[in-house]
Amino acid sequence: LSKREDSVCNFLEGGTLIGGSDFRLVYRHYATLYFVFCVDSSESELGILDLIQVFVETLDRCFENVCELDLIFHMDKVHYILQEIVMGGMVVETNQTEILTHIEAQQRIEKQEAGIFKSSRMGGAPARAFSAAKSMAPNVNLPKLADLQNISLPSFKKL
């Protein structure tokens, strides 16, 4: 792709490399980034180009001039953005304002959870597990966060 001229189309017919003649590569080149989607013949190439445009514009607004490092170091956020746009192989949202609203809501929840668990000196995976368990079973009486800080594991004697 990088050796193709900018004046040629952004579609490549499939071959043995990408699963057969029923598939196509649809791509766009933005500055130093290439966004490539592999789609079957039932997809509209222009629709996929529009999808790539929405995806890149959303990334650009979230990361303020998106670059390779943003994609590498924030892969979870990139996946979340893509999941807001595409679900189960179907494009579910292309309204950038709506996508950004959901992303900002997710960030607020993450910050709220980080604040709760930082104050209790509990963070990372245990914090997420506690939050998930609490939301899945709201009627179950889980121990207070303060009680969880003083849990000690049994010590094993060395043989």
Side-chain angles (χ1 to χ4, degrees):
L1 294 178
S2 63
K3 293 183 181 183
R4 290 176 60 122
E5 295 180 24
D6 288 337
S7 62
V8 299
C9 72
N10 295 351
F11 318 126
L12 288 174
E13 291 297 323
T16 57
L17 201 61
I18 61 169
S21 60
D22 191 40
F23 293 95
R24 291 188 185 103
L25 291 179
V26 180
Y27 70 94
R28 285 292 294 264
H29 177 218
Y30 295 92
T32 60
L33 300 174
Y34 281 88
F35 292 86
V36 182
F37 282 63
C38 181
V39 298
D40 62 17
S41 61
S42 67
E43 294 290 340
S44 164
E45 291 92 353
L46 295 176
I48 299 301
L49 284 175
D50 185 46
L51 169 71
I52 294 172
Q53 181 73 26
V54 169
F55 183 50
V56 171
E57 286 179 4
T58 306
L59 288 172
D60 201 45
R61 289 200 41 202
C62 287
F63 293 113
E64 297 176 11
N65 296 323
V66 65
C67 67
E68 297 91 346
L69 295 176
D70 293 323
L71 301 179
I72 292 169
F73 291 115
H74 301 286
M75 185 60 71
D76 55 336
K77 190 171 182 178
V78 173
H79 281 178
Y80 183 74
I81 293 167
L82 188 58
Q83 288 171 356
E84 283 295 317
I85 300 170
V86 178
M87 185 179 297
M90 300 290 294
V91 177
V92 293
E93 187 63 67
T94 57
N95 182 340
Q96 194 175 28
T97 306
E98 192 70 25
I99 295 165
L100 290 170
T101 301
H102 290 284
I103 292 166
E104 289 167 359
Q106 177 68 24
Q107 288 174 337
R108 280 194 303 274
I109 291 169
E110 288 173 0
K111 285 180 183 178
Q112 181 184 17
E113 286 181 353
I116 290 171
F117 293 112
K118 278 183 184 175
S119 65
S120 66
R121 287 181 279 151
M122 181 184 199
R128 289 189 297 275
F130 188 84
S131 176
K134 189 79 172 159
S135 66
M136 290 174 62
N139 297 332
V140 175
N141 291 326
L142 294 174
K144 301 274 188 254
L145 288 176
D147 298 338
L148 293 176
Q149 293 175 11
N150 301 321
I151 292 176
S152 60
L153 297 173
S155 60
F156 296 97
K157 295 181 184 177
K158 292 184 179 180
L159 299 175

